[in-house]
């Protein structure tokens, strides 16, 4: 953990980022992001998921692609500005619902999912908050359900964790004989992907 930034990044951090730039990470225009999104969707082993959950949907670019594989998709973000754009982008997709929520404090109560997508969001939490969110996700994930992790791996000075630390945290749980098992994964130059299944 970076000692200069040990705490989970607050919603105000993201409000400021989106106020400065409507697409701060170039999700809509970057060939790198488009390749990563295609790889993310291709990594899903099932053609269809009944109840899916995307944490940190931002502008909804990945959400739109995930939706074709989902009967229902709850997509959340802490910032209002990107959610408004997401809603417009996915207005033609009745199976997608967007909500402004902050985890772990506002995890959807009594929710059950057979797919959870954690893409480019885990490193914004402190290690204690990541552990809380992991417990919440595992509780909500149906037996046989999938948890898909995709994260940028180079360190970013603002972020409490690196992408590798996020993935290694979940993989350690899988290797410890808990309710997760690692199905497959790969590493690219600047991101990694891992798919886990709840036993």
């Amino acid at each position: 953990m970076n000692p200069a930034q040990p705490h989970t990044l607050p919603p105000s951090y993201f409000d400021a980022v989106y106020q400065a730039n409507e697409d701060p990470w170039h999700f809509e225009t970057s060939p790198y992001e488009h390749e990563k999104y295609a790889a993310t969707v291709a990594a899903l082993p099932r053609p269809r998921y009944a109840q899916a959950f995307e944490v940190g949907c931002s502008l909804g670019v990945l959400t739109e692609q995930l939706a074709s594989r989902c009967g229902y998709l709850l997509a959340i973000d802490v910032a209002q500005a990107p959610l408004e754009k997401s809603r417009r982008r996915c207005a033609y997709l009745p199976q997608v619902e967007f909500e402004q929520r902050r985890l772990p404090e506002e995890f959807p109560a009594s929710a059950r999912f057979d797919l959870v997508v954690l893409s480019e969001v885990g490193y914004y939490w402190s290690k204690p908050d990541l552990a809380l969110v992991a417990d919440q996700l595992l509780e909500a994930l149906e037996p046989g359900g999938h948890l898909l992790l995709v994260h940028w791996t180079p360190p970013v000075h603002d972020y409490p964790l690196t992408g590798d630390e996020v993935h290694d945290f979940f993989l350690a749980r899988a290797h410890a004989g808990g309710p997760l098992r690692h199905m497959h994964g790969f590493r690219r130059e600047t991101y990694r992907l891992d798919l886990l299944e709840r036993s």
Side-chain angles (χ1 to χ4, degrees):
M1 183 182 298
N2 183 344
Q5 190 65 262
H7 301 296
T8 295
L9 295 181
S12 58
Y13 173 92
F14 300 96
D15 291 338
V17 167
Y18 284 105
Q19 189 173 7
N21 187 336
E22 286 189 358
D23 187 4
W25 292 281
H26 309 292
F27 292 144
E28 295 179 319
T29 58
S30 163
Y32 161 82
E33 293 294 345
H34 293 172
E35 184 279 328
K36 188 184 64 179
Y37 290 151
T40 299
V41 176
L44 296 173
R46 292 188 206 158
R48 192 83 172 161
Y49 291 87
Q51 300 273 123
F53 184 33
E54 183 191 7
V55 182
C57 63
S58 187
L59 301 175
V61 181
L62 177 59
T63 314
E64 186 177 27
Q65 297 179 43
L66 290 170
S68 65
R69 306 282 288 273
C70 303
Y72 169 77
L73 173 58
L74 173 61
I76 68 167
D77 204 277
V78 298
Q80 184 59 39
L83 280 172
E84 291 173 2
K85 201 164 186 179
S86 294
R87 288 188 179 100
R88 291 195 297 272
R89 181 188 308 281
C90 298
Y92 72 100
L93 296 166
Q95 73 271 40
V96 182
E97 182 177 0
F98 292 99
E99 293 183 358
Q100 186 174 9
R101 289 179 180 266
R102 179 183 185 180
L103 302 187
E105 297 88 344
E106 299 172 336
F107 197 90
S110 306
R112 303 293 294 175
F113 303 104
D114 55 354
L115 172 65
V116 173
V117 177
L118 206 62
S119 176
E120 308 295 8
V121 70
Y123 39 57
Y124 298 134
W125 289 307
S126 66
K127 194 72 172 282
D129 278 349
L130 177 66
L132 287 172
V133 172
D135 288 342
Q136 293 170 330
L137 293 177
L138 284 177
E139 180 67 26
L141 194 58
E142 297 278 10
H146 294 139
L147 170 62
L148 184 59
L149 308 171
V150 189
H151 288 86
W152 172 265
T153 49
V156 180
H157 75 277
D158 280 352
Y159 299 174
L161 300 171
T162 67
D164 278 322
E165 287 175 312
V166 173
H167 286 235
D168 291 345
F169 175 85
F170 281 98
L171 291 177
R173 287 199 164 193
H175 296 149
L180 283 175
R181 84 180 169 94
H182 187 221
M183 296 186 69
H184 67 80
F186 63 79
R187 179 183 291 274
R188 297 287 187 260
E189 184 180 355
T190 55
Y191 79 91
R192 67 185 286 188
L193 179 150
D194 285 290
L195 180 75
L196 299 102
E197 183 176 78
R198 195 189 197 294
S199 57

